[in-house]
Amino acid sequence: MNGPFDFALGLGDDALVAAQRLAEWTTRAPEMEEDIALANIALDQLGAARLLLSYAGELEGAGRDEDALAYLRDDREFRNALVVELPNGDFAVTMAKLFFLAAYQLPLYTALAGCSDERLAAIGAKARKESAYHLDHGALWVKRLGDGTEESHRRMQSAVDEVWPYTHELFTADPAAPVDPASLRPAFDETVDPVLAEATLTRPQSAWAPAGGRTGVHTEHLSYLLAEMQVLHRAHPGATW
Amino acid sequence: MYGNDFSAPADAPDDPPGGGLLGEVEAAEADLRAAAARERRGGPAPDEDLAAYFADVVGAEQKIEPRDWMPEAYRRTLIRQIAQHAHSEIIGMQPEGNWISRAPSLKRKAILLAKVQDEAGHGLYLYAAAETLGISRDELVQLLLDGKQKYSSIFNYPTLTWADVGAIGWLVDGAAIVNQVPLCRCSYGPYARAMIRVCKEESFHQRQGYEILHTLAHGTPAQQAMAQDSVDRWWYPSLAMFGPPDGDSTHSAQSMAWKIKRFSNDDLRQRFVDMCVGQAEVLGLRIPDDDLRWNEERQAYDYTQPDYDELMRVISGNGPCNRERMAHRRAAHADGAWVREAAAAYAAKRAQNREKVAA
């Protein structure tokens, strides 16, 4: 990453793609309460994405607004971390993704709230309150599933194993950024470790650390996600909605 | 979609959608508070006939509350009606949920997500209201999944374009509000209170749908065509939401006597038509009825009735999406079983640990 535009774009893309995935659960959740909770979290992520993408567009100064950035870029131009574009899988995979993402976003937005860029500080101040709720929700489910039945334990451990390697990319060092992601790793570990322990889950040891999202080299999943998200907007160039 | 009753005259055609109806919700809420503040006669006297006591409370526009004696048929009717209403909210998330991933702007996506979330919330209020009548949500959900209780026929139609999201807001939520505003005065207190909250949120939804159609109808030729096509497809299914014509409506007379509903299906349908005509003009969209015209004598619009044979086919399970909607809900329920079991097992372990600590 280089400069505030790429930084804001990357965070905005994280939130946008996370929102798109979470919203896929609508009408499919295991409980009605969870339908509401997942839609709620998706809405928060979408709100943060809109603020970040709007600001990124202003920083770029090329006249792109939130919709131009969301709907008219291809996957090679998206800057989200890979973890948010992974398919939802079962409920355990979704909760693993949510929990790890929130454990990263909460210290990120908290640090952002104190940064010298006023707009980013304001976005961070708003978003960190939402992240705290997301983290609470994700952690609670990781514990419920990890320490629930044999079946749920098996699925939760498998989900943690599957998602864990993708968390490393979130902390790729960028000393020039308003908040260096590498500085967030200790807070992430302090959050995650006790929850996994309480959930009777084992923290994975795998050294595999897939990355590439921040430079636009994604998994095969993102292109499909964008095809669906952008189809209507692209079918009517220049229309307002 | 089931009960009905209203008091004020229909909105003037140039009223903003839902404006007059929202006023009625507020009036119903004020009356509810006033009724609660009034001295309510205590329970029945020791030798008083319970049915006479019940009729007295209903006649005095007081609310029946869960603790009160009520005729068994009143209880059963309310359970059926409130549950079907709750099921409709839950199944009704599907046709709109179909467009969340493809909403054409981030603002529209956010509004739609919030709306579908509200619907889940309405489902929960309504299940809670039904539970005050002595049945559990789990039982009711099972009745839905087994096909033993119904949901509104309208949700068996597909959302084929983005404009359908607008048409659902304008026409379907519009019809729902016309039906539901009177329920804010329903004789059963928990249902009346739930409806007040539901109607307030629904009126926002209707306004948003109207705004979607307005934007499309004033957009590119392709957008205009998309808007008109959706109104063409949703008009008659929306009219059918008011149920069969009065002569064929099985529950009406008794429900009216109990003050669960006060206006007939046809009265409400007429009110809806009268409300929509002016709104369609502002939208610049055509209501697909060649025989729609103002009747000076009746001071109402004449219109073509929906195809009630089609309504019966849809209600009996043979609409375009009945199978899909039910299969989707059953799959979500079945796929989530292990999660619900895990939550229960976790809660049981925690309770056990607390007991150990206490001992």
Side-chain angles (χ1 to χ4, degrees):
Chain A
M1 276 187 280
N2 40 32
F5 167 69
D6 295 277
F7 182 76
L9 192 67
L11 302 193
D13 285 349
D14 282 352
L16 176 61
V17 175
Q20 187 75 3
R21 283 292 185 221
L22 286 164
E24 288 173 14
W25 274 99
T26 307
T27 76
R28 290 183 170 80
E31 290 179 341
M32 290 171 203
E33 285 81 355
E34 200 53 28
D35 246 320
I36 295 178
L38 292 177
N40 203 319
I41 296 169
L43 205 49
D44 288 345
Q45 293 284 354
L46 185 56
R50 294 181 64 194
L51 293 172
L52 287 160
L53 292 180
S54 294
Y55 185 43
E58 288 171 37
L59 287 170
E60 186 189 36
R64 291 201 281 183
D65 63 7
E66 61 179 33
D67 287 335
L69 287 170
Y71 290 97
L72 299 174
R73 280 181 300 149
D74 293 325
D75 62 307
R76 296 281 286 110
E77 298 162 280
F78 265 71
R79 293 291 178 268
N80 61 282
L82 302 181
V83 66
V84 295
E85 74 200 40
L86 298 178
N88 280 339
D90 67 7
F91 190 70
V93 172
T94 292
M95 285 303 128
K97 288 200 297 175
L98 175 66
F99 173 55
F100 293 143
L101 181 67
Y104 152 77
Q105 283 180 332
L106 179 57
L108 168 73
Y109 289 137
T110 302
L112 218 52
C115 84
S116 60
D117 182 317
E118 278 180 26
R119 287 283 293 281
L120 287 177
I123 295 169
K126 179 176 187 297
R128 72 177 166 184
K129 293 176 201 150
E130 296 164 352
S131 290
Y133 161 72
H134 306 167
L135 181 61
D136 184 58
H137 194 73
L140 203 57
W141 273 113
V142 168
K143 289 188 259 181
R144 280 186 188 131
L145 298 178
D147 194 19
T149 63
E150 242 176 78
E151 166 76 353
S152 70
H153 177 85
R154 180 188 67 74
R155 287 186 188 238
M156 196 64 236
Q157 183 66 57
S158 148
V160 166
D161 293 346
E162 186 182 325
V163 176
W164 182 259
Y166 291 91
T167 60
H168 304 305
E169 184 189 14
L170 296 169
F171 306 102
T172 308
D174 181 7
V179 172
D180 183 353
S183 69
L184 305 169
R185 183 83 211 204
F188 176 85
D189 289 336
E190 276 167 37
T191 304
V192 165
D193 289 348
V195 171
L196 291 182
E198 198 185 326
T200 71
L201 297 166
T202 309
R203 179 176 161 151
Q205 296 301 319
S206 164
W208 185 48
R214 299 287 187 221
T215 54
V217 181
H218 291 274
T219 65
E220 291 174 346
H221 306 295
L222 184 64
S223 174
Y224 286 98
L225 180 146
L226 295 181
E228 185 175 337
M229 186 174 88
Q230 298 175 341
V231 60
L232 177 59
H233 187 96
R234 287 193 185 238
H236 297 264
T240 50
W241 299 96
Chain B
M1 291 134 236
Y2 305 96
N4 39 38
D5 173 5
F6 59 84
S7 49
D11 291 356
D14 53 353
D15 263 6
L21 291 167
L22 203 52
E24 286 180 43
V25 174
E26 272 154 22
E29 191 175 17
D31 287 351
L32 196 68
R33 270 197 232 104
R38 275 201 302 275
E39 184 100 2
R40 182 177 187 265
R41 52 173 298 199
D47 54 349
E48 189 176 358
D49 176 43
L50 289 170
Y53 172 76
F54 172 85
D56 206 30
V57 173
V58 170
E61 296 292 329
Q62 297 285 7
K63 298 302 170 195
I64 300 295
E65 297 297 339
R67 62 174 181 269
D68 291 326
W69 180 89
M70 60 189 84
E72 199 44 39
Y74 176 86
R75 183 188 300 275
R76 279 200 311 272
T77 296
L78 275 169
I79 287 176
R80 191 194 67 245
Q81 180 171 331
I82 300 174
Q84 290 189 2
H85 196 159
H87 300 332
S88 298
E89 297 286 356
I90 297 303
I91 298 289
M93 294 166 70
Q94 289 183 40
E96 291 175 287
N98 183 39
W99 281 91
I100 293 172
S101 68
R102 294 172 291 168
S105 74
L106 297 186
K107 181 183 160 197
R108 292 292 178 203
K109 189 191 291 284
I111 290 171
L112 183 56
L113 248 176
K115 178 181 178 183
V116 176
Q117 188 190 1
D118 279 351
E119 281 160 5
H122 294 172
L124 292 186
Y125 308 152
L126 287 160
Y127 283 121
E131 285 191 321
T132 64
L133 291 158
I135 189 161
S136 74
R137 181 171 116 191
D138 287 349
E139 288 174 88
L140 294 172
V141 168
Q142 200 55 52
L143 288 167
L144 169 68
L145 296 177
D146 294 343
K148 290 179 179 156
Q149 281 186 341
K150 300 202 181 302
Y151 55 87
S152 179
S153 58
I154 195 78
F155 301 120
N156 293 311
Y157 290 87
T159 49
L160 303 178
T161 70
W162 169 251
D164 290 8
V165 174
I168 287 182
W170 178 44
L171 294 174
V172 175
D173 292 335
I177 294 167
V178 168
N179 252 333
Q180 290 170 8
V181 161
L183 289 173
C184 297
R185 295 177 181 278
C186 162
S187 59
Y188 189 58
Y191 194 22
R193 290 187 289 271
M195 288 327 300
I196 285 171
R197 191 157 171 193
V198 168
C199 283
K200 286 181 180 178
E201 293 180 359
E202 289 288 358
S203 78
F204 284 111
H205 298 168
Q206 194 217 8
R207 184 175 292 271
Q208 284 153 7
Y210 184 83
E211 194 191 292
I212 286 173
L213 285 183
H214 193 273
T215 305
L216 294 175
H218 294 82
T220 66
Q223 286 176 306
Q224 289 167 30
M226 192 193 283
Q228 184 61 58
D229 167 65
S230 74
V231 171
D232 290 348
R233 282 181 290 109
W234 288 92
W235 173 251
Y236 281 114
S238 301
L239 287 193
M241 283 172 71
F242 294 91
D246 292 348
D248 305 340
S249 184
T250 44
H251 306 299
S252 286
Q254 185 59 75
S255 285
M256 287 205 193
W258 281 328
K259 294 192 179 173
I260 295 173
K261 81 188 248 188
R262 283 175 219 196
F263 287 79
S264 74
N265 293 351
D266 287 334
D267 285 346
L268 289 169
R269 192 166 10 245
Q270 181 71 57
R271 182 180 194 189
F272 177 69
V273 171
D274 292 348
M275 191 178 93
C276 286
V277 173
Q279 293 173 0
E281 277 167 20
V282 177
L283 287 172
L285 294 170
R286 182 182 169 276
I287 289 174
D289 180 355
D290 290 336
D291 295 324
L292 184 73
R293 58 179 55 87
W294 179 250
N295 182 323
E296 190 61 37
E297 203 174 310
R298 292 201 305 121
Q299 287 294 300
Y301 284 91
D302 291 336
Y303 64 95
T304 308
Q305 292 290 322
D307 176 353
Y308 292 109
D309 291 339
E310 174 179 318
L311 176 65
M312 289 308 140
R313 279 198 300 279
V314 176
I315 287 176
S316 65
N318 289 323
C321 297
N322 299 58
R323 286 161 176 76
E324 231 174 288
R325 301 286 184 246
M326 288 302 292
H328 184 100
R329 187 92 289 276
R330 288 186 184 120
H333 191 76
D335 292 348
W338 70 273
V339 176
R340 296 189 298 275
E341 282 159 20
Y346 178 77
K349 281 185 203 175
R350 300 278 290 212
Q352 211 172 21
N353 288 346
R354 272 196 300 274
E355 268 171 37
K356 270 187 212 154
V357 171

